[in-house]
Amino acid sequence: MEKNIDWKNMIAERELMGAILNKISEGIAVLDQEGRFIMMNDAYSQMLSYEGRVLEDAMNSYDLEKNNAYININEFIIGKVREGISFDDEICTISSKGERKHICFSCKPICNEEGEAIYTVVCLHEMTKLMLQSEKIQQQKEYINNIIQALPTPVAVVAYPGCTYEFVNKEYVEFLKAMTRKALDHNDIIGSTISEILPLACADAIKGILGKIYKEPMTTQEKMISFKTPKGEAKHYQMLHTALKYSANDKMYIVRIGMDITSQVVLLENTEALTKAKEEFFATISHELRSPIAVMHSIFQMLNDDYYKRELNEKTRKLLKKAQRNNRKLLRLVNNFLDITKAEAGFMQLRQVNANLVKYTQYLVKTILPVVEKKKIQLNFTSTCSTKRIVLDIEKYERILLNLLSNAVKYTQYEGKIDVYIHEDDRYLKVGVKDNGSGISEEEIDKIFDRFYISCSSEKKLNEGTGIGLSLVKRFMQLMEGKIEVNSHPGEGSEFILSFPKKLKNTTEYTMIEELQPTRESISLEFSVLYD
């Protein structure tokens, strides 16, 4: 008895199935063994459509790029159907008249009860946008890689915590070859750990740095790496690390960039050697000059004694006085020259004590009064500070103050005025030397502390010196952690301000002024123009 077939229901079910298939974004088609389409969804038709032509013609218009050859896409699919071959996700590129599409094919046979393939289901997934994006990313990757490979700087990427090399450019390969003296190539390094490539001590040091960066991603510099190449050449590199952390896999990639600073190191070494040779030369010259000058100075002092003066006539005494004055100038020049050379070479030492700055300054001012009176200059001293005792290098302070007073006397006219004062603020005791002399122009104020600078003004040329005095004053102040300032205007005089930190040595002892009285010698050297 024949069963009644519900054709109406079957048609409805087929229509429902077709509607469902048309909602699927992947292309789906069913072919018989002759390659005829039994059914397909809209997505399949759209993927293989060509300029609005029907599917069969469109498929015959596309060529499939396969193994550097071109075959008709329709023939490719029908061939697979007839062979009953099953395959998954085979990505192919189809092209026609300049239009290219990337299609992912899957092919599954439907068999009867005897196991014969009677239908084949073909699934298509268009990957054109994805493939184009992948190609673009690959192009960008190759572009960046070519740039990094062309850099004259070693660059490597290390994965942490494994500390394996993920990337190295050509320069980094050469860097490792020179440092380790191993015949390494790119393949030896990629995938290897730092410990497998570098010496143990060096690898451990780098691991320590990478560990710190892993805990707190940052950019950091490694200590300078120095080594000799197989040819015996010295190389110096400064390594820079930058962390790139990916939260997706909790992995960190650390970029190591090596900056070749060999030329800078060599330049610095040569500069230091040249500076040292220059300082040694100056020091030697100064020492060689100082000995005979000191002997001459002693002879002049002896000849000025009353015992010898009686044996000299007036003309000879005048010549002796002139010679002695110039000898003092020369000795002062050599002393200053030697001291500033020591200071610049870093050999100058401080002999600091706790001393009463106010009392000692007042004493120095009183000591030079006989010299100042020769120009009838009014010299005043005032102090308004409650703090008096600070840590000080007395000998250097004496030379600083006498130098400033000497300059003030030189550039102040007869019957002029010089004020020495001491003020204080929260941090400093300030000693000021102010005169009403010729003053300094604004453009010269920044130059007067330069070594060997001499003013171009006509009045200062009359008092021509070496330009080394104020340079030495500034050096001494820097050594004592102080500072010097100057206020001046042409024709209105100058004011030099010395600022000393208000601090004491950790001791209960302090130096008595009586133990540190300046000698007649130190004053005569600073005031060599007016002395005697």
Side-chain angles (χ1 to χ4, degrees), residues 81-108:
V81 170
R82 287 175 178 169
E83 295 172 11
I85 296 175
S86 174
F87 60 89
D88 291 315
D89 300 329
E90 185 169 340
I91 299 175
C92 302
T93 302
I94 58 176
S95 61
S96 177
K97 297 182 180 180
E99 182 181 1
R100 299 175 77 242
K101 291 184 178 182
H102 301 281
I103 306 293
C104 179
F105 286 91
S106 293
C107 193
K108 296 287 185 182

mmCIF file of all heavy atoms in Angstrom, residues 81-108:
data_model
loop_
_atom_site.group_PDB
_atom_site.id
_atom_site.type_symbol
_atom_site.label_atom_id
_atom_site.label_comp_id
_atom_site.label_asym_id
_atom_site.label_seq_id
_atom_site.Cartn_x
_atom_site.Cartn_y
_atom_site.Cartn_z
ATOM 1 N N VAL A 81 34.257 16.939 -6.744
ATOM 2 C CA VAL A 81 32.989 16.247 -6.511
ATOM 3 C C VAL A 81 33.030 14.841 -7.086
ATOM 4 O O VAL A 81 32.660 13.860 -6.441
ATOM 5 C CB VAL A 81 31.819 17.058 -7.099
ATOM 6 C CG1 VAL A 81 30.541 16.227 -7.086
ATOM 7 C CG2 VAL A 81 31.623 18.351 -6.319
ATOM 8 N N ARG A 82 33.493 14.741 -8.312
ATOM 9 C CA ARG A 82 33.520 13.444 -8.980
ATOM 10 C C ARG A 82 34.491 12.477 -8.295
ATOM 11 O O ARG A 82 34.277 11.270 -8.275
ATOM 12 C CB ARG A 82 33.893 13.623 -10.442
ATOM 13 C CG ARG A 82 32.741 14.241 -11.254
ATOM 14 C CD ARG A 82 33.165 14.519 -12.662
ATOM 15 N NE ARG A 82 32.026 15.057 -13.423
ATOM 16 C CZ ARG A 82 32.132 15.601 -14.635
ATOM 17 N NH1 ARG A 82 33.332 15.685 -15.191
ATOM 18 N NH2 ARG A 82 31.065 16.060 -15.253
ATOM 19 N N GLU A 83 35.581 13.026 -7.763
ATOM 20 C CA GLU A 83 36.555 12.174 -7.081
ATOM 21 C C GLU A 83 36.110 11.810 -5.669
ATOM 22 O O GLU A 83 36.710 10.947 -5.027
ATOM 23 C CB GLU A 83 37.915 12.874 -7.016
ATOM 24 C CG GLU A 83 38.544 13.079 -8.397
ATOM 25 C CD GLU A 83 39.788 13.947 -8.329
ATOM 26 O OE1 GLU A 83 40.264 14.199 -7.187
ATOM 27 O OE2 GLU A 83 40.283 14.391 -9.370
ATOM 28 N N GLY A 84 35.056 12.476 -5.208
ATOM 29 C CA GLY A 84 34.569 12.210 -3.868
ATOM 30 C C GLY A 84 35.569 12.598 -2.791
ATOM 31 O O GLY A 84 35.611 12.000 -1.714
ATOM 32 N N ILE A 85 36.408 13.591 -3.093
ATOM 33 C CA ILE A 85 37.460 14.003 -2.163
ATOM 34 C C ILE A 85 36.883 14.948 -1.108
ATOM 35 O O ILE A 85 36.096 15.850 -1.408
ATOM 36 C CB ILE A 85 38.626 14.682 -2.913
ATOM 37 C CG1 ILE A 85 39.286 13.666 -3.861
ATOM 38 C CG2 ILE A 85 39.644 15.261 -1.943
ATOM 39 C CD1 ILE A 85 40.355 14.264 -4.737
ATOM 40 N N SER A 86 37.287 14.716 0.093
ATOM 41 C CA SER A 86 36.880 15.584 1.203
ATOM 42 C C SER A 86 38.084 16.413 1.647
ATOM 43 O O SER A 86 39.189 15.887 1.813
ATOM 44 C CB SER A 86 36.358 14.733 2.365
ATOM 45 O OG SER A 86 36.097 15.564 3.484
ATOM 46 N N PHE A 87 37.904 17.719 1.819
ATOM 47 C CA PHE A 87 38.988 18.567 2.324
ATOM 48 C C PHE A 87 38.386 19.730 3.103
ATOM 49 O O PHE A 87 37.225 20.098 2.899
ATOM 50 C CB PHE A 87 39.898 19.043 1.193
ATOM 51 C CG PHE A 87 39.194 19.863 0.141
ATOM 52 C CD1 PHE A 87 39.087 21.240 0.263
ATOM 53 C CD2 PHE A 87 38.627 19.248 -0.981
ATOM 54 C CE1 PHE A 87 38.455 21.998 -0.711
ATOM 55 C CE2 PHE A 87 37.990 19.997 -1.947
ATOM 56 C CZ PHE A 87 37.900 21.370 -1.813
ATOM 57 N N ASP A 88 39.160 20.266 3.968
ATOM 58 C CA ASP A 88 38.698 21.354 4.828
ATOM 59 C C ASP A 88 39.606 22.575 4.694
ATOM 60 O O ASP A 88 40.837 22.449 4.653
ATOM 61 C CB ASP A 88 38.686 20.925 6.305
ATOM 62 C CG ASP A 88 37.616 19.882 6.587
ATOM 63 O OD1 ASP A 88 36.492 20.064 6.105
ATOM 64 O OD2 ASP A 88 37.936 18.890 7.271
ATOM 65 N N ASP A 89 38.983 23.731 4.669
ATOM 66 C CA ASP A 89 39.670 25.032 4.783
ATOM 67 C C ASP A 89 40.866 25.145 3.849
ATOM 68 O O ASP A 89 41.986 25.469 4.265
ATOM 69 C CB ASP A 89 40.117 25.259 6.235
ATOM 70 C CG ASP A 89 38.940 25.262 7.194
ATOM 71 O OD1 ASP A 89 37.843 25.670 6.775
ATOM 72 O OD2 ASP A 89 39.117 24.844 8.359
ATOM 73 N N GLU A 90 40.647 24.905 2.600
ATOM 74 C CA GLU A 90 41.707 25.113 1.607
ATOM 75 C C GLU A 90 41.540 26.512 1.037
ATOM 76 O O GLU A 90 40.535 26.817 0.388
ATOM 77 C CB GLU A 90 41.623 24.067 0.490
ATOM 78 C CG GLU A 90 42.785 24.195 -0.482
ATOM 79 C CD GLU A 90 42.864 23.005 -1.433
ATOM 80 O OE1 GLU A 90 42.309 21.940 -1.128
ATOM 81 O OE2 GLU A 90 43.512 23.162 -2.472
ATOM 82 N N ILE A 91 42.499 27.338 1.341
ATOM 83 C CA ILE A 91 42.412 28.748 0.924
ATOM 84 C C ILE A 91 42.974 28.876 -0.480
ATOM 85 O O ILE A 91 44.114 28.487 -0.765
ATOM 86 C CB ILE A 91 43.174 29.673 1.888
ATOM 87 C CG1 ILE A 91 42.561 29.562 3.290
ATOM 88 C CG2 ILE A 91 43.132 31.120 1.416
ATOM 89 C CD1 ILE A 91 43.299 30.338 4.341
ATOM 90 N N CYS A 92 42.171 29.428 -1.367
ATOM 91 C CA CYS A 92 42.570 29.621 -2.760
ATOM 92 C C CYS A 92 42.305 31.057 -3.171
ATOM 93 O O CYS A 92 41.472 31.758 -2.601
ATOM 94 C CB CYS A 92 41.791 28.678 -3.685
ATOM 95 S SG CYS A 92 42.009 26.941 -3.286
ATOM 96 N N THR A 93 43.018 31.473 -4.170
ATOM 97 C CA THR A 93 42.831 32.817 -4.726
ATOM 98 C C THR A 93 42.258 32.658 -6.127
ATOM 99 O O THR A 93 42.807 31.928 -6.955
ATOM 100 C CB THR A 93 44.152 33.589 -4.803
ATOM 101 O OG1 THR A 93 44.705 33.665 -3.500
ATOM 102 C CG2 THR A 93 43.942 34.978 -5.343
ATOM 103 N N ILE A 94 41.140 33.328 -6.379
ATOM 104 C CA ILE A 94 40.543 33.277 -7.705
ATOM 105 C C ILE A 94 40.647 34.668 -8.313
ATOM 106 O O ILE A 94 40.578 35.691 -7.622
ATOM 107 C CB ILE A 94 39.090 32.804 -7.655
ATOM 108 C CG1 ILE A 94 38.234 33.707 -6.767
ATOM 109 C CG2 ILE A 94 39.022 31.363 -7.131
ATOM 110 C CD1 ILE A 94 36.766 33.333 -6.751
ATOM 111 N N SER A 95 40.850 34.694 -9.623
ATOM 112 C CA SER A 95 41.038 35.989 -10.288
ATOM 113 C C SER A 95 40.398 35.979 -11.663
ATOM 114 O O SER A 95 40.296 34.939 -12.317
ATOM 115 C CB SER A 95 42.539 36.294 -10.417
ATOM 116 O OG SER A 95 43.184 35.320 -11.202
ATOM 117 N N SER A 96 39.957 37.169 -12.056
ATOM 118 C CA SER A 96 39.412 37.329 -13.394
ATOM 119 C C SER A 96 39.451 38.791 -13.755
ATOM 120 O O SER A 96 38.910 39.631 -13.041
ATOM 121 C CB SER A 96 37.966 36.813 -13.456
ATOM 122 O OG SER A 96 37.431 37.031 -14.752
ATOM 123 N N LYS A 97 40.151 39.083 -14.855
ATOM 124 C CA LYS A 97 40.239 40.448 -15.370
ATOM 125 C C LYS A 97 40.641 41.461 -14.298
ATOM 126 O O LYS A 97 40.041 42.517 -14.139
ATOM 127 C CB LYS A 97 38.915 40.861 -16.001
ATOM 128 C CG LYS A 97 38.541 40.018 -17.208
ATOM 129 C CD LYS A 97 37.249 40.497 -17.840
ATOM 130 C CE LYS A 97 36.889 39.650 -19.056
ATOM 131 N NZ LYS A 97 35.632 40.104 -19.694
ATOM 132 N N GLY A 98 41.659 41.081 -13.510
ATOM 133 C CA GLY A 98 42.186 41.992 -12.498
ATOM 134 C C GLY A 98 41.481 41.930 -11.172
ATOM 135 O O GLY A 98 41.972 42.471 -10.186
ATOM 136 N N GLU A 99 40.312 41.272 -11.097
ATOM 137 C CA GLU A 99 39.609 41.149 -9.833
ATOM 138 C C GLU A 99 40.084 39.868 -9.142
ATOM 139 O O GLU A 99 40.107 38.806 -9.745
ATOM 140 C CB GLU A 99 38.103 41.098 -10.041
ATOM 141 C CG GLU A 99 37.331 41.005 -8.723
ATOM 142 C CD GLU A 99 35.824 40.928 -8.938
ATOM 143 O OE1 GLU A 99 35.412 40.923 -10.103
ATOM 144 O OE2 GLU A 99 35.103 40.876 -7.943
ATOM 145 N N ARG A 100 40.469 40.009 -7.870
ATOM 146 C CA ARG A 100 40.967 38.862 -7.134
ATOM 147 C C ARG A 100 40.132 38.689 -5.874
ATOM 148 O O ARG A 100 39.779 39.639 -5.190
ATOM 149 C CB ARG A 100 42.440 39.048 -6.752
ATOM 150 C CG ARG A 100 43.347 39.199 -7.944
ATOM 151 C CD ARG A 100 44.783 39.511 -7.542
ATOM 152 N NE ARG A 100 45.489 38.330 -7.067
ATOM 153 C CZ ARG A 100 45.979 38.195 -5.851
ATOM 154 N NH1 ARG A 100 45.811 39.171 -4.956
ATOM 155 N NH2 ARG A 100 46.626 37.111 -5.485
ATOM 156 N N LYS A 101 39.814 37.420 -5.564
ATOM 157 C CA LYS A 101 39.109 37.082 -4.340
ATOM 158 C C LYS A 101 39.846 35.936 -3.666
ATOM 159 O O LYS A 101 40.396 35.061 -4.330
ATOM 160 C CB LYS A 101 37.672 36.657 -4.628
ATOM 161 C CG LYS A 101 36.762 37.773 -5.117
ATOM 162 C CD LYS A 101 35.335 37.266 -5.276
ATOM 163 C CE LYS A 101 34.402 38.392 -5.716
ATOM 164 N NZ LYS A 101 32.993 37.918 -5.834
ATOM 165 N N HIS A 102 39.825 35.963 -2.337
ATOM 166 C CA HIS A 102 40.423 34.888 -1.548
ATOM 167 C C HIS A 102 39.287 34.092 -0.921
ATOM 168 O O HIS A 102 38.485 34.636 -0.151
ATOM 169 C CB HIS A 102 41.349 35.452 -0.470
ATOM 170 C CG HIS A 102 42.467 36.282 -1.017
ATOM 171 N ND1 HIS A 102 43.597 35.738 -1.561
ATOM 172 C CD2 HIS A 102 42.602 37.639 -1.141
ATOM 173 C CE1 HIS A 102 44.400 36.701 -1.966
ATOM 174 N NE2 HIS A 102 43.823 37.866 -1.725
ATOM 175 N N ILE A 103 39.194 32.811 -1.279
ATOM 176 C CA ILE A 103 38.101 31.951 -0.843
ATOM 177 C C ILE A 103 38.652 30.770 -0.063
ATOM 178 O O ILE A 103 39.645 30.151 -0.459
ATOM 179 C CB ILE A 103 37.283 31.425 -2.045
ATOM 180 C CG1 ILE A 103 36.791 32.582 -2.919
ATOM 181 C CG2 ILE A 103 36.126 30.568 -1.573
ATOM 182 C CD1 ILE A 103 35.773 33.466 -2.261
ATOM 183 N N CYS A 104 37.994 30.474 1.053
ATOM 184 C CA CYS A 104 38.333 29.287 1.830
ATOM 185 C C CYS A 104 37.315 28.196 1.467
ATOM 186 O O CYS A 104 36.112 28.352 1.705
ATOM 187 C CB CYS A 104 38.289 29.619 3.315
ATOM 188 S SG CYS A 104 38.661 28.193 4.363
ATOM 189 N N PHE A 105 37.780 27.084 0.865
ATOM 190 C CA PHE A 105 36.921 26.001 0.406
ATOM 191 C C PHE A 105 36.886 24.865 1.418
ATOM 192 O O PHE A 105 37.906 24.516 2.011
ATOM 193 C CB PHE A 105 37.442 25.405 -0.922
ATOM 194 C CG PHE A 105 37.199 26.278 -2.112
ATOM 195 C CD1 PHE A 105 38.141 27.205 -2.522
ATOM 196 C CD2 PHE A 105 36.021 26.155 -2.830
ATOM 197 C CE1 PHE A 105 37.921 27.991 -3.628
ATOM 198 C CE2 PHE A 105 35.796 26.950 -3.941
ATOM 199 C CZ PHE A 105 36.747 27.867 -4.348
ATOM 200 N N SER A 106 35.690 24.272 1.586
ATOM 201 C CA SER A 106 35.536 23.001 2.300
ATOM 202 C C SER A 106 34.620 22.126 1.462
ATOM 203 O O SER A 106 33.625 22.613 0.901
ATOM 204 C CB SER A 106 34.932 23.201 3.684
ATOM 205 O OG SER A 106 35.842 23.896 4.515
ATOM 206 N N CYS A 107 34.925 20.856 1.369
ATOM 207 C CA CYS A 107 34.167 19.964 0.497
ATOM 208 C C CYS A 107 33.902 18.642 1.224
ATOM 209 O O CYS A 107 34.840 17.973 1.666
ATOM 210 C CB CYS A 107 34.956 19.710 -0.786
ATOM 211 S SG CYS A 107 33.996 18.948 -2.096
ATOM 212 N N LYS A 108 32.605 18.274 1.376
ATOM 213 C CA LYS A 108 32.240 17.049 2.073
ATOM 214 C C LYS A 108 31.264 16.234 1.201
ATOM 215 O O LYS A 108 30.208 16.737 0.806
ATOM 216 C CB LYS A 108 31.542 17.373 3.399
ATOM 217 C CG LYS A 108 32.403 18.110 4.412
ATOM 218 C CD LYS A 108 33.450 17.195 5.010
ATOM 219 C CE LYS A 108 34.212 17.945 6.104
ATOM 220 N NZ LYS A 108 35.277 17.093 6.670
#
